[in-house]
Amino acid sequence: MEYIPTKPALRMWEGSQTAAFKTVFDGGHMNFTHFMCAEDNLDYLTFSELLHHLLQRQAALQLAFEQPDWDILIPVYFGNLDEDFDPARASAVFIQVKNRHQPSSSQIDPYYYTKFFSHTEDPILYILIDLGTKEHKVDVYGFPKANTAQANSKQPKQYIFSIHAMGAGQTIFRCLQTAEMNSAAAILLAETIGKFTRLDVEKDHDELCQSNKRNRQGWKGLYPTVLKVNLESETEDVEMQETI
């Protein structure tokens, strides 16, 4: 995407920190080979375990049809790849895609994000894509994070960045700079924008969910709540059974 300098944050708190987009996301790792389809909305109580599972399975997630604000989740890991996995270094990129002629509102509530990311202090990225707008531009917004010592329930402890991409031209997506790709994208957009209703999209999504179920790729089966156990007690039980 074309880079536009970060706009000022919506609000600065006393003692808060700001940083440049490139600095914040340097060192993040993405490694997904396929998308899976969620049947249920995200649960912030098990969100950390979900990110762990997605990274382990090299998967990104197409979110449930009624999921507020987000359509796609891509896990990102900020930890050292040469060391044991650290759940506290797992974050995500959220993407929302809209087919509309007028730009959407790009305002986000940073507190909504912190509810899902209570396990980490690593940055979060939200990308809003308005494919059908006549104006082609990209806006980047950065939200400050609180100093750890001064953090409270109203101050996010992560950097949160928002990218709003409007239009689908060559200046927005570098991959469209070749004539063949640009022509193919124009044909695809002409077939989709303004042509299908919400019910059509929901029907396609539900059919994809059913297909994933048939292939044993169901949401609930793959991402159950992870139960924490006392490993020392388990070892003692095994040793006792072997003795008997």
Side-chain angles (χ1 to χ4, degrees):
M1 289 184 176
E2 180 185 13
Y3 177 74
I4 304 295
T6 303
K7 292 190 172 184
L10 296 183
R11 178 182 176 186
M12 288 289 292
W13 299 281
E14 183 178 353
S16 61
Q17 306 176 47
T18 59
F21 180 88
K22 185 179 186 304
T23 303
V24 168
F25 288 97
D26 246 6
H29 304 278
M30 291 192 297
N31 182 26
F32 65 98
T33 60
H34 61 289
F35 280 88
M36 301 181 64
C37 202
E39 299 169 10
D40 302 317
N41 288 351
L42 298 176
D43 185 348
Y44 68 91
L45 295 176
T46 58
F47 191 68
S48 175
E49 287 88 348
L50 168 63
L51 293 177
H52 189 177
H53 282 299
L54 289 174
L55 288 165
Q56 185 180 39
R57 296 177 181 275
Q58 295 181 290
L61 203 58
Q62 177 185 325
L63 300 176
F65 187 78
E66 295 296 337
Q67 174 69 50
D69 300 323
W70 310 317
D71 298 321
I72 296 170
L73 184 159
I74 301 175
V76 183
Y77 186 62
F78 288 89
N80 189 330
L81 299 182
D82 296 322
E83 298 177 357
D84 291 342
F85 179 80
D86 182 359
R89 302 308 308 274
S91 187
V93 175
F94 289 110
I95 302 175
Q96 186 175 33
V97 183
K98 292 182 176 293
N99 291 346
R100 54 186 300 161
H101 300 292
Q102 298 297 325
S104 310
S105 171
S106 59
Q107 292 187 356
I108 66 173
D109 182 359
Y111 314 129
Y112 179 65
Y113 286 73
T114 59
K115 181 172 69 172
F116 286 90
F117 290 89
S118 60
H119 64 280
T120 183
E121 296 184 7
D122 283 306
I124 307 162
L125 176 60
Y126 167 65
I127 301 175
L128 171 61
I129 301 175
D130 282 323
L131 291 176
T133 61
K134 294 182 179 179
E135 183 179 24
H136 291 186
K137 69 172 185 174
V138 175
D139 288 334
V140 181
Y141 301 86
F143 295 87
K145 74 171 185 176
N147 287 322
T148 304
Q150 299 175 336
N152 58 50
S153 59
K154 292 186 177 181
Q155 294 175 274
K157 59 182 181 180
Q158 310 90 349
Y159 288 117
I160 304 175
F161 275 82
S162 169
I163 297 176
H164 187 190
M166 289 160 275
Q170 299 175 6
T171 58
I172 307 300
F173 300 101
R174 298 289 179 88
C175 62
L176 300 181
Q177 290 184 346
T178 64
E180 295 82 0
M181 286 294 295
N182 192 40
S183 176
I187 295 172
L188 178 62
L189 290 174
E191 288 295 318
T192 57
I193 295 177
K195 183 175 181 179
F196 296 104
T197 67
R198 175 184 173 92
L199 293 178
D200 294 327
V201 176
E202 184 172 3
K203 179 176 179 293
D204 290 343
H205 179 275
D206 291 344
E207 288 177 352
L208 182 58
C209 286
Q210 292 301 320
S211 175
N212 281 340
K213 269 187 176 180
R214 289 193 295 271
N215 292 316
R216 298 184 179 179
Q217 296 293 314
W219 161 260
K220 294 179 180 177
L222 284 177
Y223 304 114
T225 302
V226 177
L227 299 177
K228 295 178 172 56
V229 298
N230 188 326
L231 297 180
E232 292 183 0
S233 297
E234 278 197 344
T235 303
E236 292 174 359
D237 292 341
V238 171
E239 291 175 349
M240 183 176 296
Q241 290 175 6
E242 290 178 349
T243 303
I244 295 174

